[in-house]
Amino acid sequence: YIYLLYSLALATNAQLIYEIGVNGARSTHAFLCAMQITGGQLWSCDVVDYDHRVTDEKLRKHWGFFHTPAAEWRKSLSSQCDIVFIDGHHNYEFVSEDVENFWPFVKKGGLMVLHDTKYMERGPGEVFRELKEQGVGIIDLPTQHGIAVARK
């Protein structure tokens, strides 16, 4: 899924990406490598302080890390973004709240990406199914843990 995220960022010529959940920073690094090419910025938030996960200064100049819950972080945001990547808390209520809170920030033609749609059936998987039933143009890609991509 790392190459997929990198490719999505390049294909959209992303200038601003919002990432919810950092943990191992695999997605963070994929997006940051793409940001080096597009000249864009990745803004990430997590309830755990993962600021130390990115040490390369060339990558850090494209990164902003916010040590706060996504629901609080969104209150400080005003810019529309090219991609929102949701991989924070995986229970249904949090994933659903993240989608509701961050979908308005996705610009027309932009993407919302949900991770772990197969691995966590009750959380991201259930939210994916609900979005599909509501007629949102969303597809679930056959990655190991599942990635759903919706285009606005």
Side-chain angles (χ1 to χ4, degrees), residues 91-121:
N91 76 26
Y92 172 82
E93 291 75 19
F94 281 97
V95 177
S96 183
E97 180 180 74
D98 287 344
V99 168
E100 183 178 324
N101 284 339
F102 284 86
W103 183 249
F105 287 103
V106 178
K107 66 172 64 170
K108 184 174 169 75
L111 306 173
M112 177 171 279
V113 182
L114 303 176
H115 189 231
D116 293 325
T117 53
K118 298 236 182 295
Y119 178 67
M120 302 292 290
E121 283 292 316

Side-chain angles (χ1 to χ4, degrees), residues 9-69:
L10 289 180
T12 60
N13 191 35
Q15 296 303 300
L16 182 58
I17 298 174
Y18 293 158
E19 176 187 43
I20 301 167
V22 173
N23 196 357
R26 289 183 300 251
S27 56
T28 305
H29 280 92
F31 285 133
L32 286 172
C33 286
M35 296 300 91
Q36 285 187 291
I37 295 169
T38 69
Q41 291 288 308
L42 170 67
W43 294 356
S44 308
C45 80
D46 205 301
V47 294
V48 176
D49 188 357
Y50 288 125
D51 186 58
H52 65 281
R53 296 283 197 203
V54 177
T55 57
D56 184 323
E57 286 305 316
K58 289 179 184 173
L59 297 178
R60 284 189 72 87
K61 72 179 186 178
H62 295 279
W63 192 44
F65 177 76
F66 303 85
H67 180 201
T68 186

